[in-house]
Amino acid sequence: MPKKKRQCDEAQLKWFEEALERIKKATGARTQVQLAEVLDVRQSSISDAKRRCSIPAEWFLKLYRSHGLDPDWLSEGVEPVYINASKAKIPADTLLRETPAPYGRMNSRGRVVPVSTMAGVDKEAATWEPKPIEELSVPESFCRPKLQVVKVDSASMEPVIGRGAFVGIDRDQNEHPDGDLCAVYFPHQGLTIRRVYMQGDTFLLKAENEKYSDLTIPAAEMDQRTVGRVIWVLQNLSPM
């Protein structure tokens, strides 16, 4: 009987795909044809490697010689990117913007997203629009089709959410379950994040910090003023 071919398990396939993706990004190869040219191998060799979920050691050696790349970074994503930076074709900072982020699932691939101020573009406007001020790498598992990330500039939700924290808001979610954290816009003030409770024909927006007053909004205005629900918070818990 013919010998059964060895099958890759899920973990091996994930490792292979991530390592191959690092090779493509570091060399600028977008297709299998281009990758074969960079590695000076046949296209069938790449297909064979994928079937085995194994990257030949000689590929890593070739990439060190041609691009100065560190085999440990190619294989495991461990920095530095380059051993010989003088042969670098693409700046390391550009490559690292797409590397795994330190939060979320193990080895979750990161995505760079814009971060807005709480004030937005214009605090006088009737609706809130984001004003990007920086970027943040977050795991893909943290992303949503309408994700909005803001940097908190208020202490109203301390100690749950500290000043300077990054907050992920899903703009597709406009429901207001009691006790959930929602991002709500107040003209002339900007965005605020509070726990929301419905009380008759009004909504109570409750602060965690006792030094801040609770806010109220007529129920009829709540849908229009709600930017979305908070789905995650990233912050430094260590004393500054």
Side-chain angles (χ1 to χ4, degrees):
M1 292 179 63
K3 190 175 181 180
K4 210 177 216 181
K5 291 184 178 178
R6 179 173 171 269
Q7 296 289 321
C8 293
D9 61 31
E10 186 176 344
Q12 289 171 319
L13 182 59
K14 179 178 174 62
W15 170 84
F16 176 85
E17 289 177 343
E18 291 183 349
L20 198 67
E21 188 65 20
R22 282 190 287 272
I23 292 174
K24 288 179 178 178
K25 286 178 178 175
T27 60
R30 296 180 179 276
T31 66
Q32 189 161 307
V33 173
Q34 293 172 337
L35 184 59
E37 290 176 355
V38 168
L39 294 170
D40 192 24
V41 297
R42 297 176 180 175
Q43 290 184 55
S44 59
S45 297
I46 297 174
S47 299
D48 289 343
K50 184 171 185 177
R51 188 168 56 253
R52 297 192 306 269
C53 293
S54 174
I55 296 178
E58 65 185 52
W59 290 10
F60 293 138
L61 181 58
K62 285 181 179 179
L63 291 167
Y64 162 68
R65 289 173 174 167
S66 62
H67 292 70
L69 291 160
D70 186 338
D72 286 337
W73 179 76
L74 291 171
S75 177
E76 306 298 336
V78 178
E79 297 179 39
V81 176
Y82 297 105
I83 292 178
N84 185 353
S86 66
K87 292 191 175 183
K89 303 292 190 296
I90 299 172
D93 288 348
T94 300
L95 297 173
L96 293 173
R97 283 160 62 96
E98 299 295 332
T99 58
Y103 305 98
R105 296 195 303 261
M106 185 67 70
N107 294 325
S108 176
R109 184 167 297 284
R111 183 185 300 178
V112 176
V113 296
V115 178
S116 173
T117 62
M118 300 283 280
V121 172
D122 181 6
K123 288 197 296 185
E124 309 299 316
T127 57
W128 185 84
E129 292 298 331
K131 180 182 179 181
I133 53 169
E134 58 183 290
E135 293 181 326
L136 178 72
S137 177
V138 301
E140 287 188 349
S141 58
F142 279 31
C143 294
R144 300 289 187 277
K146 291 188 178 180
L147 175 70
Q148 177 63 60
V149 181
V150 297
K151 190 170 186 179
V152 175
D153 58 10
S154 166
S156 63
M157 293 304 292
E158 290 183 346
V160 176
I161 303 175
R163 191 191 301 270
F166 296 100
V167 173
I169 301 164
D170 188 346
R171 301 192 70 167
D172 266 340
Q173 297 189 39
N174 292 308
E175 307 86 359
H176 313 100
D178 271 4
D180 267 26
L181 291 168
C182 292
V184 182
Y185 176 58
F186 284 81
H188 312 294
Q189 298 179 47
L191 206 61
T192 188
I193 294 172
R194 298 289 177 94
R195 290 199 185 278
V196 175
Y197 299 89
M198 190 170 189
Q199 297 186 340
D201 59 355
T202 64
F203 277 91
L204 173 67
L205 279 62
K206 192 168 183 59
E208 294 284 340
N209 190 335
E210 294 180 355
K211 295 180 181 179
Y212 287 75
S213 300
D214 295 337
L215 304 170
T216 58
I217 294 181
E221 298 179 17
M222 193 61 175
D223 284 346
Q224 181 182 356
R225 303 261 292 273
T226 300
V227 173
R229 289 169 66 189
V230 174
I231 54 175
W232 51 257
V233 177
L234 300 179
Q235 61 186 332
N236 188 350
L237 299 180
S238 302
M240 299 300 287

